[in-house]
Amino acid sequence: MAGVKLERVNKRFGSTRVIDDVSMAIGDGEFVVFVGPSGCGKSTLLRLIAGLESITNGDLLIDEQRVNNLTPQERGIGMVFQSYALYPHMSVYQNIAFGLKLAKTDKQTVDERVRQTARILQLDGLLERLPKALSGGQRQRVAIGRAMAREPKILLFDEPLSNLDAALRVQTRNEIAGLHKRLGSTMIYVTHDQVEAMTLADRIVVLNAGHVEQIGTPQELYERPASRFVAGFIGSPRMNFIHVEARTGNDRGCRINVPGVGERDLPQQLPADAVGERLELGVRPEHLHLTPAAQGEGVEVVNVEYLGSEAYLYLQMADGELLVCRTEAPSRFERGERVTLDFDADKVHLFDGEGRALPVADAARRSDRHSEQAPT
Amino acid sequence: MATRQQAATSDVAADMTDRAFLQQQADSPRRERGTRVRRRRVRAAWLFLAPMLVVLAAVAGWPLVRTFWFSMTDASLSSLEGGQFIGLENYLVYDNGWYGIMADPMWWQSVWNTLYFTLVSVSLEAVLGVIVALVLNAHFRGRTLVRAAMLIPWAIPTVVSAKIWAWMLNDQFGIINHMLLGLGLIDAPLSWTADASLSMWAVIIVDVWKATPFVALLVLAALQMLPSDCYEAAKVDGIHPVRVFFRVTLPLIMPALLVAIIFRALDALRVFDVIYVLTSNAASTMTMSIYARQQLVEFQDVGYGSAASTLLFMIIALITVVYLYIGRRQLGGGS
Ligand SMILES: Nc1ncnc2c1ncn2[C@@H]1O[C@H](COP(=O)(O)OP(=O)(O)OP(=O)(O)O)[C@@H](O)[C@H]1O
Ligand SMILES: [Mg+2]
């Protein structure tokens, strides 16, 4: 078992900088997920950790030891590739056994290790099959088995589920979570699917264009996104962003004018000289409250999506923006109806012109207020 | 039923599938339609095959039959049609001692020479071809240029390159002897093409030089189709590159390599030009083709020469069938 530490790691391909000053510390036995949009450098970062790419600049430490110049094997790493990367001409058994580089006399040990791995991943009946005679999910399990049979200190996954259908994805996701509990090894997992990230991770690293946008637990990222990017990336349906104008502001809170809603007091700190600037208000779909409005007032419900357990309402703002609101199903509102908007002031986020989240004033007082309210 | 008989007489292979198909369809109400579709397909297949079959019959079948016929006559080059039918006497006959090709030690010498030449040159070409392909598959500057340059030996007509080599190997003026002498590796010039112990190797060297690019090209194509992620997986697992080559690369390029080898082996079994240019009719390098030509052209004995050609054909056919059989068995077992 081992912790991984990145210190100002950079990676350039020619003149393009793909990884930009990334630092983080991953604890022993932790499950960390890298998420980010396509092309943000997730795979590259993982391959840097694996040792498949060389680090241009910065240090990578495993178990407090600098490993920049060690081979993947010396780093004690196992990796599961997005494309499975199984050896097409070898049976499942051979695929798993091939990486177990033990002396010939140790055939017994290899055999035991392969069969034990197969048992854990429920591959028992498939050991003699070739990869092409397996389903996608089974291939995925073989790939995982091959990586874990060597009992590496650190297991890396590069989008391991992206080739599976939705049902299998959920199932395999659970298997990976179970595997992590059982093995207790450090796992780093790349995905662009935020549901996978939220469900699997102890901590999530959100990457954007090669730099770290935010690192935190799923709850932290969801409830306290550090930037508009993270806020928009985590959560489905996406957070709503509304352009607002600051009326007043100081280090205790601010007052903003929300089109279609009116003036509201928020707990976010706003420097006095930022008053009058254009800000963006971020509201999660479940934090929007709707009440029926008279004709010609409020905003129009332009679409209702019924999902069984809940419904999404799409609202057309005056400036053309679409907002989405999560409600119970069936929805109280129908398409074409008009509604008035409101939101929980202490659940919303405020982002400045550069997309940074404005800090909340005096968090202690706010949480006091919560506990005061709770009994009532 | 009528359809079935028709198919059976027309094409055995098609009939096998046809029958399985019919069996499947036997109790189905769509049987009627199925057979009609099948019949139309078989007819279309024959239509497409016909031109090739006609051409093959004209350029391969007819000469083959004619050669076979000549091999059973005592025709000579001056009176081709005047030959009398003499049965298998060209092959083997007892007339106070054995006569005929099968009793000619020179023939058996040339069979042995051919097999030896084929085995050694094709083995070398396979090994060198794979090595060259691996090198060309690596990333380095000027790779495209080297790839093009590599093909030059293969592109030069054999007679031309053999003549070039003949001069380079010349015992008096050849550059090879000159270089070897200069390096002090030999004290006296070697007569590469005249010395019976060297000439086979001289011929093999030239053939390997010429044909290695062909093997390399086929193998290179196979290498470029290999899944690159497997190699990364092997790298992460810390598997030694040599082991990766023998356990991953080689099995995966094997089909292409087998194809290259059979092409080369067929060429080598009927090798003529390179040997004829380098060593003419010398006994130490006489192959089956050279033997047949000598009988046919120099000794004017068309019947005897045709018999040699027929035997050559049968030996090649036999080796090919055995090779394909083994190759298919192994490939079938492996995949
Ligand atoms: N070998 C390379 N040479 C040059 N640029 C590269 C190379 N590999 C990756 N890149 C670039 O680096 C950036 C990050 O690539 P990477 O594969 O890490 O993205 P990713 O986050 O894994 O995306 P995806 O979700 O699509 O897999 C991309 O813009 C890509 O074009
Ligand atoms: Mg990727």
Side-chain angles (χ1 to χ4, degrees):
Chain A
M1 305 302 128
V4 181
K5 206 175 206 171
L6 283 79
E7 284 171 0
R8 308 203 55 174
V9 168
N10 284 277
K11 175 68 185 174
R12 271 192 295 272
F13 286 115
S15 60
T16 44
R17 181 179 281 230
V18 176
I19 297 295
D20 187 6
D21 254 353
V22 168
S23 300
M24 70 180 79
I26 296 168
D28 182 17
E30 200 174 11
F31 199 123
V32 169
V33 175
F34 296 169
V35 283
S38 191
C40 69
K42 308 179 293 289
S43 297
T44 307
L45 193 55
L46 200 71
R47 292 165 60 83
L48 287 176
I49 296 173
L52 289 170
E53 303 278 0
S54 61
I55 295 173
T56 310
N57 232 315
D59 289 322
L60 174 66
L61 294 92
I62 294 179
D63 260 348
E64 303 299 322
Q65 272 197 321
R66 189 171 180 275
V67 296
N68 286 34
N69 300 319
L70 297 190
T71 64
Q73 189 209 3
E74 289 165 335
R75 297 180 188 191
I77 272 173
M79 182 155 171
V80 179
F81 293 82
Q82 177 172 0
S83 52
Y84 315 136
L86 298 178
Y87 306 112
H89 60 296
M90 293 189 197
S91 68
V92 170
Y93 184 98
Q94 290 167 325
N95 259 290
I96 297 175
F98 191 50
L100 297 172
K101 210 186 67 175
L102 302 173
K104 278 223 161 27
T105 47
D106 267 359
K107 264 210 168 97
Q108 185 88 31
T109 326
V110 171
D111 189 65
E112 265 169 35
R113 199 79 82 72
V114 172
R115 296 198 182 277
Q116 186 193 340
T117 309
R119 218 168 15 252
I120 293 175
L121 293 168
Q122 293 160 22
L123 291 166
D124 305 69
L126 307 173
L127 284 175
E128 297 315 316
R129 296 241 199 122
L130 285 178
K132 69 176 172 204
L134 298 177
S135 74
Q138 290 165 337
R139 281 181 214 174
Q140 190 54 68
R141 290 210 295 270
V142 176
I144 295 172
R146 185 177 63 183
M148 84 185 218
R150 286 192 307 120
E151 299 180 353
K153 296 181 287 185
I154 300 160
L155 263 175
L156 309 180
F157 297 84
D158 191 356
E159 307 206 23
L161 309 185
S162 56
N163 291 336
L164 306 183
D165 70 32
L168 202 53
R169 201 180 285 201
V170 173
Q171 185 196 335
T172 316
R173 195 173 77 202
N174 286 327
E175 280 166 11
I176 291 177
L179 202 64
H180 177 240
K181 285 214 179 63
R182 202 159 38 221
L183 298 179
S185 47
T186 309
M187 292 190 179
I188 305 178
Y189 185 106
V190 163
T191 178
H192 60 250
D193 177 354
Q194 44 126 342
V195 179
E196 258 170 51
M198 298 290 278
T199 50
L200 285 172
D202 292 327
R203 278 192 307 154
I204 297 177
V205 177
V206 182
L207 291 168
N208 180 21
H211 67 265
V212 173
E213 206 51 59
Q214 189 175 1
I215 305 181
T217 64
Q219 194 178 359
E220 276 167 9
L221 293 194
Y222 193 78
E223 292 177 358
R224 290 192 294 283
S227 65
R228 185 188 185 282
F229 179 85
V230 175
F233 196 79
I234 303 284
S236 173
R238 219 170 87 99
M239 182 184 277
N240 297 301
F241 295 102
I242 307 168
H243 287 288
V244 296
E245 202 176 307
R247 286 278 184 260
T248 64
N250 54 40
D251 57 2
R252 273 169 290 129
C254 62
R255 170 166 292 182
I256 56 169
N257 181 32
V258 185
V261 177
E263 298 204 348
R264 287 286 183 282
D265 285 326
L266 296 184
Q268 269 83 0
Q269 295 178 330
L270 186 72
D273 57 0
V275 168
E277 264 183 34
R278 301 268 289 170
L279 303 174
E280 267 190 299
L281 179 73
V283 193
R284 298 244 175 238
E286 59 269 34
H287 298 146
L288 273 178
H289 301 309
L290 306 183
T291 43
Q295 268 309 320
E297 280 178 37
V299 295
E300 189 188 340
V301 178
V302 291
N303 196 10
V304 179
E305 283 180 354
Y306 172 75
L307 279 92
S309 60
E310 58 193 13
Y312 301 151
L313 269 54
Y314 292 87
L315 314 170
Q316 179 99 54
M317 297 291 282
D319 59 359
E321 286 283 316
L322 270 188
L323 298 189
V324 56
C325 169
R326 190 201 301 262
T327 68
E328 74 282 7
S331 159
R332 286 178 293 144
F333 302 98
E334 278 175 23
R335 174 195 233 154
E337 274 185 64
R338 297 195 76 85
V339 293
T340 356
L341 283 180
D342 206 350
F343 49 80
D344 299 331
D346 53 357
K347 295 239 173 75
V348 298
H349 311 271
L350 208 52
F351 304 99
D352 66 15
E354 270 125 52
R356 282 186 305 248
L358 295 175
V360 171
D362 212 1
R365 276 260 297 285
R366 281 184 75 209
S367 63
D368 279 356
R369 218 165 68 206
H370 277 282
S371 50
E372 276 168 21
Q373 281 172 350
T376 57
Chain B
M1 212 45 208
T3 332
R4 221 157 118 177
Q5 274 162 4
Q6 250 177 19
T9 51
S10 61
D11 179 24
V12 183
D15 183 47
M16 305 282 272
T17 48
D18 219 359
R19 206 173 287 173
F21 181 76
L22 286 177
Q23 222 97 61
Q24 242 177 14
Q25 300 276 312
D27 300 320
S28 137
R30 286 186 326 208
R31 180 185 170 182
E32 196 59 26
R33 235 184 83 217
T35 57
R36 212 171 329 127
V37 168
R38 169 63 42 158
R39 202 162 51 192
R40 204 181 309 150
R41 276 198 191 169
V42 169
R43 212 174 322 130
W46 278 111
L47 208 64
F48 282 111
L49 283 174
M52 193 193 72
L53 291 177
V54 168
V55 170
L56 270 182
V59 305
W62 170 238
L64 199 66
V65 170
R66 212 167 122 89
T67 304
F68 191 62
W69 165 249
F70 277 137
S71 78
M72 293 197 282
T73 69
D74 60 358
S76 75
L77 206 54
S78 51
S79 69
L80 259 189
E81 305 303 331
Q84 296 288 312
F85 180 80
I86 55 168
L88 295 176
E89 281 184 20
N90 281 327
Y91 295 91
L92 196 62
V93 66
Y94 189 80
D95 180 16
N96 285 330
W98 290 103
Y99 295 96
I101 293 176
M102 310 268 246
D104 181 358
M106 199 57 235
W107 164 254
W108 290 113
Q109 168 78 37
S110 62
V111 170
W112 164 248
N113 282 345
T114 311
L115 292 180
Y116 183 81
F117 170 83
T118 301
L119 197 72
V120 175
S121 66
V122 175
S123 306
L124 286 175
E125 282 154 21
V127 172
L128 292 176
V130 169
I131 293 174
V132 169
L134 287 173
V135 170
L136 290 179
N137 196 39
H139 295 270
F140 59 87
R141 266 166 165 279
R143 179 165 68 149
T144 354
L145 210 67
V146 177
R147 270 188 199 174
M150 177 205 72
L151 278 174
I152 290 176
W154 183 246
I156 298 176
T158 311
V159 174
V160 175
S161 62
K163 204 69 205 169
I164 294 173
W165 275 96
W167 276 112
M168 299 206 313
L169 290 166
N170 187 293
D171 49 353
Q172 306 273 329
F173 316 108
I175 189 165
I176 307 249
N177 274 336
H178 182 75
M179 288 196 309
L180 290 178
L181 281 170
L183 288 171
L185 291 174
I186 53 173
D187 319 318
L190 297 173
S191 48
W192 290 96
T193 52
D195 186 336
S197 61
L198 284 179
S199 53
M200 180 55 92
W201 280 100
V203 171
I204 287 175
I205 288 170
V206 176
D207 190 67
V208 168
W209 173 82
K210 176 175 171 58
T212 298
F214 171 76
V215 178
L217 203 66
L218 284 194
V219 173
L220 182 61
L223 281 176
Q224 297 192 321
M225 305 269 294
L226 291 186
S228 63
D229 50 3
C230 281
Y231 291 91
E232 296 202 322
K235 201 169 160 193
V236 171
D237 286 347
I239 296 160
H240 194 273
V242 174
R243 200 165 123 87
V244 172
F245 172 76
F246 282 107
R247 295 289 307 278
V248 180
T249 310
L250 202 54
L252 290 176
I253 61 171
M254 210 28 130
L257 189 58
L258 285 181
V259 168
I261 287 177
I262 191 148
F263 273 124
R264 282 307 307 142
L266 290 182
D267 271 354
L269 284 171
R270 52 191 174 76
V271 62
F272 176 79
D273 39 13
V274 58
I275 293 183
Y276 191 71
V277 171
L278 280 171
T279 63
S280 188
N281 290 328
S284 59
T285 53
M286 179 168 289
T287 60
M288 295 188 278
S289 297
I290 302 237
Y291 180 91
R293 191 210 77 96
Q294 193 180 31
Q295 299 298 337
L296 223 138
V297 179
E298 252 144 75
F299 304 157
Q300 304 266 317
D301 194 339
V302 172
Y304 200 81
S306 298
S309 301
T310 306
L311 282 179
L312 164 61
F313 167 75
M314 293 205 283
I315 290 175
I316 292 184
L318 185 74
I319 291 176
T320 311
V321 167
V322 169
Y323 180 88
L324 283 183
Y325 180 73
I326 295 173
R328 188 171 312 160
R329 266 258 300 261
Q330 282 193 340
L331 281 186
S335 62

